[in-house]
Each structure stands twice: as C-alpha cells, then as structure tokens.
C-alpha cells in the first residue's frame, strides 16, 4: 500500500521532511546527541566526513572511522524531537522513497545516544559514565503507539504505587535497552543504570526558580524506589523515547550518559567538556574496534 503524502512527507529534493536527508546519507550505525554543536565534537574523530547536512536543530554528519561508516545526528532536547528523529531514521532505511511503500525486507539500525545526565544518588560519581539498562518515561510519547508489548508493566505499576503518582500526569512507561548492543559497549568503566526520562528540565526534574512544583519530594521518591535489584539512578530527557520507538521499529538502541550533576549532593562537574569528550572517545572506540 502506498503511503499518503500527508503521512510520508518529503522535501522538494526528495529528502525526508525534518531531517533533510536522503536514504544514502545515513550509515547503519547512528550516534545521537542532543546539542547540534556536539555533532562536530564527534565527527572530528572520523577519518573522513562525506556528508554534512542540517535543518532546524537536526544536524547530521556521516563519515568513516577505522573503516566503519558512521552517522552522528543531533536531536535537540526532549522526546517530542525523538519522535521525529526515530520515525524519519526508520523511514530512510525501511520505506522506498520512489514507490512510497514500506519495503518487504526491513533494515535494523544501531542507535547510540551519547548524552549528559544528572544522578540522584551520592554514590554515582560526577564525571562517571552510565549505560541505561532501563528507562522510565514521564512523557506520554509511547502511549500514542501500540506499545504494550515493549513496556514493563510490573515495574510501572510498582513505581506508580510507591510514589502515589499524581493521576493528572501521564502514565509512566518502562522500556529496556538492547542487550546485544549494550554488551558491545560495556566495560568496567561503565555503570549500569535505570534512567528517568523527564518531560522538562525545571519542574519535571524537581528544580525550582519561581514556580512551586506539584510534588516537592519527587526526586526523593525516585531515589528511594526499588524494584527487585533496580533503582532509578539518573535523570535526562530522551532515553525512554529512543528505547521505546527503537524496539517498536526493530532497531537496537543504547543510551550512554556522562554524569555531570549530582542532584543529591548539589555538585556539578568542573570539567564537563573534558568528561563528555572522554565518553565520545570511549564510545567510538567500542563501536569501531
């Protein structure tokens, strides 16, 4: 069945609508970063850059490192942007841009987020690296899709019961990383964690400037929650959306977090750029070795 033009939107040059990319512009391994300026901080390590394209907050470089073709792309902040990026990345490999039909043979991408994050436990050090084994999303993105089969409902229910979750907020959803891709990126340098993906930076993460929050003890409840051996370790704004949509679309995803803040102690890294650079180098070495 041919997709309607209002659903599968292309630009005048036949590139996908928001990302402004053609199918040949992306590699099988895609690194996502939030900040457009961080794209060049990753691609500067490439042996060769063949493509540089950008539109809005979505900037993309594709090249090679140690003989492996890689794409690095900025997503901007938040799971609303992740909805665009993951769907359009999938379209680039799994929809025929000429017939406007879904391909009979589907392609699976490796998607690796390299991002910054804040821990909510004093024993997770500043400047450490954490891989998200699970993510709990406080946004509503995955609830707009037929996604029950990728959600961990037992963890979700236990979390909502423990925190007495306010029923006017969206229902949290829990999704897991891809174990195979995660194993490739794992080492003694990496902590495994359970990441909370927040729908905002201030109130949703318990920060106060001039506004009162609905639950003044939200971060305390997050830190105290346990489900078997799992505890929520850190806060950021994209991972749950990446994990959920990647699983639904048949891609493999892992989120690598550089811990720059510790919300429980009030500390912030005094070398954020250096620490983020080390995580970039670590990740590139792992995926191209």
């Amino acid at each position: 069945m041919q997709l309607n033009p209002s659903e599968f939107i292309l630009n005048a040059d036949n590139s996908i609508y928001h990302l402004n990319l053609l199918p040949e512009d992306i590699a099988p391994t895609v690194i996502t970063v939030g900040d457009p300026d961080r794209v060049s901080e990753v691609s500067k390590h490439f042996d060769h850059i063949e493509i540089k394209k950008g539109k809005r907050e979505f900037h993309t470089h594709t090249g090679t490192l140690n003989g492996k073709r890689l794409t690095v792309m900025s997503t901007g902040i938040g799971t609303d942007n992740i909805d665009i990026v993951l769907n359009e990345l999938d379209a680039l490999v799994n929809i025929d841009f000429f017939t406007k039909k879904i391909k009979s043979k589907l392609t699976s991408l490796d998607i690796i987020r390299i991002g910054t994050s804040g821990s909510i436990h004093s024993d997770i050090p500043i400047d450490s690296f954490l891989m998200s084994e699970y993510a709990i999303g406080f946004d509503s993105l995955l609830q707009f899709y037929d996604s029950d089969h990728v959600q961990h409902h037992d963890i979700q229910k236990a979390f909502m019961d423990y925190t007495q979750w306010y029923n006017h907020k969206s229902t949290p959803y829990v999704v897991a990383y891809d174990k195979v891709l995660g194993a490739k990126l794992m080492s003694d340098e990496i902590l495994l964690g359970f990441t909370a993906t927040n729908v905002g930076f201030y109130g949703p993460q318990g920060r106060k400037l001039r506004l009162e929050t609905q639950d003044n003890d939200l971060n305390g409840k997050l830190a105290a929650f346990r489900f078997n051996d799992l505890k929520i370790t850190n806060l950021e704004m994209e991972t749950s959306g990446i994990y959920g949509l990647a699983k639904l679309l048949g891609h493999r995803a892992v989120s690598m977090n550089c811990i720059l803040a510790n919300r429980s102690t009030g500390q912030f890294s005094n070398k954020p750029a250096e620490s983020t650079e080390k995580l970039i180098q670590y990740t590139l070495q792992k995926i191209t070795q």
Side-chain angles (χ1 to χ4, degrees), residues 94-156:
N94 289 321
I95 296 175
D96 188 308
F97 275 40
F98 296 98
T99 67
K100 311 297 191 295
K101 294 179 180 179
I102 297 170
K103 295 178 180 178
S104 57
K105 184 179 180 181
L106 300 179
T107 296
S108 180
L109 298 169
D110 284 346
I111 300 169
I112 302 159
R113 173 189 176 270
I114 299 177
T116 58
S117 183
S119 70
I120 56 173
H121 294 279
S122 59
D123 61 348
I124 299 177
I126 294 289
D127 303 311
S128 62
F129 303 151
L130 182 145
M131 181 189 298
S132 305
E133 183 180 18
Y134 290 89
I136 182 167
F138 300 145
D139 61 295
S140 60
L141 175 61
L142 215 61
Q143 313 297 13
F144 283 89
Y145 293 94
D146 180 9
S147 62
D148 276 356
H149 59 292
V150 303
Q151 297 186 34
H152 291 262
H153 293 283
D154 50 349
I155 306 176
Q156 293 165 202

Side-chain angles (χ1 to χ4, degrees), residues 1-279:
M1 183 181 71
Q2 192 175 58
L3 297 169
N4 291 328
S6 62
E7 310 300 302
F8 180 50
I9 307 170
L10 299 179
N11 298 312
D13 64 353
N14 218 42
S15 62
I16 197 72
Y17 187 50
H18 295 91
L19 300 185
N20 197 37
L21 298 173
L22 298 166
E24 59 266 28
D25 291 340
I26 66 163
T29 299
V30 179
I31 296 167
T32 68
V33 297
D35 185 353
D37 290 338
R38 195 173 294 151
V39 172
S40 60
E41 292 302 306
V42 177
S43 68
K44 72 183 183 183
H45 297 287
F46 291 1
D47 297 322
H48 171 69
I49 300 173
E50 62 186 82
I51 291 164
K52 289 185 176 182
K53 290 187 176 181
K55 183 180 179 182
R56 304 187 188 187
E57 61 265 63
F58 308 113
H59 292 214
T60 301
H61 292 180
T62 294
T64 54
L65 176 62
N66 299 331
K68 186 180 180 73
R69 194 166 186 251
L70 302 171
T71 291
V72 57
M73 170 184 299
S74 60
T75 64
I77 299 173
T79 57
D80 50 347
N81 279 8
I82 295 302
D83 183 58
I84 291 170
V85 171
L86 265 288
N87 276 289
E88 293 194 1
L89 274 176
D90 180 76
L92 286 164
V93 295
N94 289 321
I95 296 175
D96 188 308
F97 275 40
F98 296 98
T99 67
K100 311 297 191 295
K101 294 179 180 179
I102 297 170
K103 295 178 180 178
S104 57
K105 184 179 180 181
L106 300 179
T107 296
S108 180
L109 298 169
D110 284 346
I111 300 169
I112 302 159
R113 173 189 176 270
I114 299 177
T116 58
S117 183
S119 70
I120 56 173
H121 294 279
S122 59
D123 61 348
I124 299 177
I126 294 289
D127 303 311
S128 62
F129 303 151
L130 182 145
M131 181 189 298
S132 305
E133 183 180 18
Y134 290 89
I136 182 167
F138 300 145
D139 61 295
S140 60
L141 175 61
L142 215 61
Q143 313 297 13
F144 283 89
Y145 293 94
D146 180 9
S147 62
D148 276 356
H149 59 292
V150 303
Q151 297 186 34
H152 291 262
H153 293 283
D154 50 349
I155 306 176
Q156 293 165 202
K157 183 179 185 307
F159 173 82
M160 293 177 70
D161 289 345
Y162 180 81
T163 59
Q164 297 181 309
W165 193 250
Y166 187 47
N167 62 9
H168 289 292
K169 295 176 181 174
S170 59
T171 301
Y173 59 91
V174 176
V175 283
Y177 74 156
D178 184 89
K179 290 183 179 180
V180 175
L181 183 57
K184 290 184 177 181
L185 290 160
M186 196 61 192
S187 76
D188 292 340
E189 297 179 57
I190 305 297
L191 303 171
L192 268 183
F194 182 10
T195 296
T197 295
N198 301 81
V199 73
F201 184 78
Y202 289 96
Q205 293 190 35
R207 289 184 173 91
K208 289 185 180 182
L209 298 182
R210 292 204 312 117
L211 296 177
E212 289 297 318
T213 58
Q214 178 272 325
D215 186 347
N216 290 328
D217 192 34
L218 178 59
N219 284 358
K221 292 176 181 178
L222 298 185
F225 172 70
R226 298 291 185 275
F227 184 87
N228 297 331
D229 294 330
L230 284 177
K231 67 177 182 181
I232 296 174
T233 50
N234 62 303
L235 311 178
E236 52 75 75
M237 293 180 65
E238 290 89 35
T239 297
S240 65
I242 294 172
Y243 282 8
L245 292 183
K247 283 194 178 296
L248 291 177
L249 292 164
H251 305 295
R252 305 193 301 178
V254 164
S255 178
M256 304 291 287
N257 303 271
C258 184
I259 302 297
L260 295 184
N262 190 302
R263 300 297 302 284
S264 66
T265 64
Q267 294 175 295
F268 190 84
S269 173
N270 58 14
K271 51 176 185 177
E274 179 183 335
S275 296
T276 305
E277 170 66 14
K278 285 182 178 178
L279 180 58

